[in-house]
Structures are given as C-alpha cells and as structure tokens.
Amino acid sequence: MSKPLGVILAGGLATRMGGGDKGLLQIDGQSLLVRVQDRLAPQVSGLALNANGDAARFDDLGLPVVADSIEGFAGPLAGVLAGLDWAAEQGADSIVTAAADTPFFPEDLVARLVAASEGQVHPLVLATTPRTGEELKSGGRSKVNRHPTFGLWPVALRDDLRAALNDGLRKVVIWTDRHQGREALFDATPFDPFFNVNTPEDLARAEELLK
C-alpha cells in the first residue's frame, strides 16, 4: 500500500472554548494546527485541511482547504468524507486523519495504522488507547478508548459513507464497525497521546505537557 494522504480535521464547533477555531489556539507561541501539521506531514504523501467557512484564515499553513459537502454540522465523518473526496481527485487510495486540537499524537501514527490494515480489502483502522482506572470501571465491556478522528480510511468506501451521512448517520464507530474496521492500540503512558484541547483547562494542561 502506498503512503496515504493526510487530512487534518478542523471542522468542529469548539463550543466548550466559546466557539472559533481551536486549532488556532497557541501553546508555547505556536498554534495547535501548526503543531499537528508538523507532526503529520512527515508521515503522509500530502496534506489537506478540512475546515468550513472562510478558508483565507488558514492561508499561512499553505495547505489546500476542503469543506464539508454535507449540509449542517455533521461531525467528524463529514470531514472524513471531504478528505476522501479530495484524495480521490489526487488519485490516492486512502487517507489518514488527525484532529486539529490534538498536538501530541504519535509520530508513528500512520505506520501503525497501515500495519494494522494488512490484509483488508478496504483499509479501515481507528487508533485506540487502553482504558485505565476509573475510566475502565465506567467503560462497560470495552477495554479501549477509540479515537474516531484518528483513522485510516479507504477512498473506495467514500460513496457508501456519503449515503450513510445523508441517511443521518453521525457516529463514527457505527460506520467503521459496519465495514469490519480494525483498531491499532497505542500506549497511553505517561499520558494519552490523543489528549485533545476542549476547554481552557485543557489548554493549560497542554502547556504543562509540552514542558
């Protein structure tokens, strides 16, 4: 399998941060988006940003910006679809997505997702981390956290995804389970690498983690 394209998902509403673009928030003088871009770019063959609204606000990133094609805020799957449509135009077979507000995701994310997809007709893999402590007690039967914005997605299933979204599907794992999606397990020590910035407190924690 050739190296996938990468898509940074920045289409969220950031309601817990008061709205706006979480990816433009800074830690140690650098935006979350730039940190995500710098981490993902070496792992993929090309990179785009999924975001809605005026694309000019991201001009300094130098990335193509692809907007959701599904009306209304349809969640991360709409961003995945936008990325898959863009990848199809590039002649690519697959994409790997990463969230714009998650600056510490693994530097071997793509390699591990691709390895987990070996033998699949349509490579479809989500990143996971182990549940621990209180989280494990409250998590039902699942012993892992699935991170639905960090995945390997096949261009071949984009029309199926479009149909599912148009039918009202919004939950990522329902769609991935429908297509026998796999999981790639990542270590969560000393902290979960998929920690994301949802609140001002998270932003402060990200500053501490960076140190």
Side-chain angles (χ1 to χ4, degrees), residues 47-102:
L47 198 55
L49 175 69
N50 161 244
N52 299 302
D54 184 6
R57 68 194 192 277
F58 302 113
D59 280 351
D60 60 331
L61 296 176
L63 297 176
V65 179
V66 294
D68 294 351
S69 60
I70 304 295
E71 288 294 316
F73 178 66
L77 277 176
V80 171
L81 176 61
L84 290 172
D85 285 342
W86 167 74
E89 293 171 2
Q90 317 303 309
D93 296 327
S94 60
I95 63 170
V96 167
T97 55
D101 59 357
T102 309

Side-chain angles (χ1 to χ4, degrees), residues 17-193:
M17 294 294 289
D21 295 297
K22 281 194 292 181
L24 298 181
L25 296 170
Q26 294 194 351
I27 52 174
D28 196 30
Q30 194 174 43
S31 74
L32 297 175
L33 250 176
V34 167
R35 291 181 180 279
V36 170
Q37 180 181 9
D38 289 349
R39 191 161 282 234
L40 187 57
Q43 302 186 48
V44 293
S45 59
L47 198 55
L49 175 69
N50 161 244
N52 299 302
D54 184 6
R57 68 194 192 277
F58 302 113
D59 280 351
D60 60 331
L61 296 176
L63 297 176
V65 179
V66 294
D68 294 351
S69 60
I70 304 295
E71 288 294 316
F73 178 66
L77 277 176
V80 171
L81 176 61
L84 290 172
D85 285 342
W86 167 74
E89 293 171 2
Q90 317 303 309
D93 296 327
S94 60
I95 63 170
V96 167
T97 55
D101 59 357
T102 309
F104 308 117
F105 66 87
E107 293 179 336
D108 61 349
L109 171 74
V110 174
R112 300 268 299 277
L113 292 174
V114 169
S117 76
E118 188 174 347
Q120 284 184 299
V121 175
H122 300 307
L124 183 59
V125 184
L126 292 183
T128 66
T129 47
R131 288 182 184 271
T132 56
E134 291 301 315
E135 190 179 57
L136 184 58
K137 293 178 189 175
S138 63
R141 288 178 297 172
S142 177
K143 293 184 177 179
V144 297
N145 285 315
R146 289 193 277 191
H147 301 283
T149 51
F150 286 86
L152 171 67
W153 312 87
V155 169
L157 291 181
R158 67 192 176 106
D159 288 332
D160 182 284
L161 177 56
R162 193 183 332 274
L165 282 163
N166 284 327
D167 284 342
L169 181 75
R170 296 295 180 262
K171 196 166 177 61
V172 173
V173 297
I174 291 177
W175 189 76
T176 58
D177 286 349
R178 187 181 293 174
H179 294 284
Q180 293 75 53
R182 294 181 183 174
E183 298 172 354
L185 185 65
F186 292 84
D187 188 26
T189 54
F191 64 91
D192 191 326

